[in-house]
Amino acid sequence: MVTIVGVKFRSSGKVYYFDPGEFELSAGAHVIVETARGMEFGEVTSNPQEMSEKSVIKPLRKVVRIADRNDEKRHDENMSRKQEALEICQERIQDHGLEMKLIDVEYTFDNSKIIFYFTADGRIDFRELVKDLAGIFRMRIELRQVGVRDEARMLGGIGECGRSLCCHQWLGRFNPVSIKMAKTQGLSLNPSKISGICGRLMCCLKFENDTYCELCKGMPKQGDYVETQDGPAVVVDTSTLKQEVRVRHVMEPDQDTPPGEDRLSDEISIYTKEAVRPAVRETWEQDWNSGKRSRKSRDGRKDSSHRFRTGDRSSGRGDD
């Protein structure tokens, strides 16, 4: 086991782990750490905690020191210079006629390099732009192209739920999200309903997907034939969260029933998922033809389910 602390360098950035060494650190403290880019100013996100060595990416660098007043002052100066750097870079982009959208800028703590983040539809030849910026800022220039999801994380915003974007507020990394997750959760497949402000599928589709996948196990689909204690039935709707199945019972065919079609009851009955089991249509047809199965009278059977007339408001979706 090793002792680690989480440190992040941007308010919406990824959390990196460092060895606190002999320093007594707590969440919210500012520290100076050594990274691949050199010395960096970061904020501690968690109190020191124990973690197995297998879970830690090696080498685990140590915290160099706790940030003092001079470090705080230098960091504040770097932050105050961002707006001016953005304006200068934006002017040079327009001068060179480049089709790129400038997102953010970042100074390294030691002022050895300045990083510009941008989005673009394709590859951009910005070699002349880099030379121009290097002559202005007199330091190393790096232009880093990011995707639309990273753009939303950097800039922030308000999601469909009315809260701050998860990727900007607390989400450390992006997880793969697919349209299948929306189908599993019974959501509308309208892109405007399940897409975030970045234009991609909302990250929150992943949050409850595992729970829905577990609840959907053994749940029949709409149109499936099932066997209940009151006889065969056809599934008309399901409620994943309530673990309920809404069905219309299959009645014994009469003279008016077209060949190959089912005669269904007018009432909708509700059963728990455990109270129904898969059935095959041909099975009860053979039983009816041979006289082994007869439809029980509704008045004489046990009232083990909730029933509604079709068209009743209560017979709508269980998730409403």
Side-chain angles (χ1 to χ4, degrees):
M1 301 293 287
V2 294
T3 303
I4 57 94
V5 291
V7 178
K8 65 179 181 180
F9 307 104
R10 301 172 60 94
S11 59
S12 58
K14 182 180 178 181
V15 176
Y16 298 87
Y17 295 116
F18 292 87
D19 181 357
E22 300 178 354
F23 299 107
E24 295 183 0
L25 302 175
S26 59
H30 293 155
V31 294
I32 303 299
V33 296
E34 184 179 1
T35 68
R37 300 194 306 183
M39 295 297 179
E40 291 287 343
F41 181 95
E43 180 181 349
V44 178
T45 61
S46 61
N47 296 329
Q49 55 184 313
E50 298 290 331
M51 182 177 291
S52 62
E53 295 185 6
K54 295 182 179 180
S55 303
V56 178
I57 299 178
K58 296 182 179 180
L60 183 64
R61 300 176 184 265
K62 291 187 176 182
V63 174
V64 176
R65 66 178 184 271
I66 298 176
D68 56 22
R69 291 184 178 180
N70 292 331
D71 296 327
E72 298 273 1
K73 183 179 180 180
R74 174 181 290 187
H75 176 69
D76 292 341
E77 290 176 352
N78 290 340
M79 296 297 292
S80 63
R81 296 161 60 190
K82 289 178 55 175
Q83 185 60 37
E84 180 183 1
L86 281 172
E87 295 175 356
I88 294 175
C89 184
Q90 187 62 49
E91 291 178 359
R92 295 300 181 271
I93 290 174
Q94 295 176 356
D95 293 341
H96 288 278
L98 300 176
E99 296 183 357
M100 52 192 292
K101 180 181 178 182
L102 190 62
I103 300 301
D104 197 8
V105 62
E106 180 181 3
Y107 282 89
T108 57
F109 180 70
D110 56 3
N111 287 328
S112 62
K113 182 169 63 173
I114 182 172
I115 306 172
F116 294 94
Y117 298 90
F118 71 95
T119 60
D121 293 334
R123 299 188 62 180
I124 302 294
D125 185 2
F126 47 70
R127 288 175 292 183
E128 294 300 324
L129 176 62
V130 171
K131 294 179 182 178
D132 197 357
L133 294 175
I136 297 174
F137 293 101
R138 301 294 180 181
M139 63 177 65
R140 292 174 56 194
I141 303 295
E142 178 180 345
L143 270 73
R144 185 174 300 177
Q145 186 172 358
V146 299
V148 291
R149 300 180 81 185
D150 292 298
E151 176 186 359
R153 176 165 60 181
M154 289 181 178
L155 299 181
I158 304 298
E160 291 284 342
C161 58
R163 299 175 62 89
S164 178
L165 297 180
C166 296
C167 58
H168 178 75
Q169 190 172 20
W170 61 269
L171 192 63
R173 61 186 178 89
F174 293 115
N175 294 313
V177 184
S178 66
I179 194 68
K180 183 180 178 181
M181 296 179 181
K183 294 180 180 179
T184 301
Q185 299 173 39
L187 301 176
S188 169
L189 300 184
N190 186 340
S192 64
K193 299 292 185 180
I194 57 177
S195 299
I197 63 174
C198 62
R200 300 292 189 268
L201 292 174
M202 292 188 292
C203 297
C204 54
L205 292 177
K206 174 68 175 177
F207 299 164
E208 297 181 355
N209 186 65
D210 293 341
T211 300
Y212 271 89
C213 289
E214 186 66 27
L215 292 176
C216 285
K217 291 181 179 179
M219 180 73 75
K221 298 180 180 180
Q222 185 175 353
D224 286 354
Y225 291 100
V226 294
E227 186 74 38
T228 71
Q229 63 183 20
D230 300 312
V234 176
V235 177
V236 296
D237 198 6
T238 59
S239 175
T240 304
L241 296 181
K242 293 182 179 180
Q243 294 288 272
E244 291 179 346
V245 181
R246 294 172 180 262
V247 303
R248 292 177 64 185
H249 286 92
V250 179
M251 310 293 289
E252 188 172 357
D254 57 14
Q255 296 179 351
D256 298 330
T257 305
E261 294 187 9
D262 298 315
R263 179 188 171 207
L264 302 179
S265 63
D266 293 333
E267 294 180 354
I268 293 180
S269 302
I270 302 178
Y271 296 87
T272 62
K273 181 180 71 174
E274 293 76 13
V276 300
R277 62 181 186 276
V280 180
R281 184 174 186 269
E282 289 74 11
T283 302
W284 65 70
E285 281 186 337
Q286 295 175 1
D287 292 344
W288 278 330
N289 294 333
S290 62
K292 294 181 180 180
R293 180 193 294 266
S294 60
R295 183 66 183 173
K296 293 182 181 180
S297 171
R298 285 195 173 275
D299 296 334
R301 73 180 186 180
K302 295 181 179 179
D303 191 8
S304 58
S305 65
H306 302 288
R307 298 191 299 276
F308 305 99
R309 298 288 297 181
T310 55
D312 192 326
R313 290 184 61 186
S314 301
S315 62
R317 291 190 60 87
D319 288 334
D320 292 346

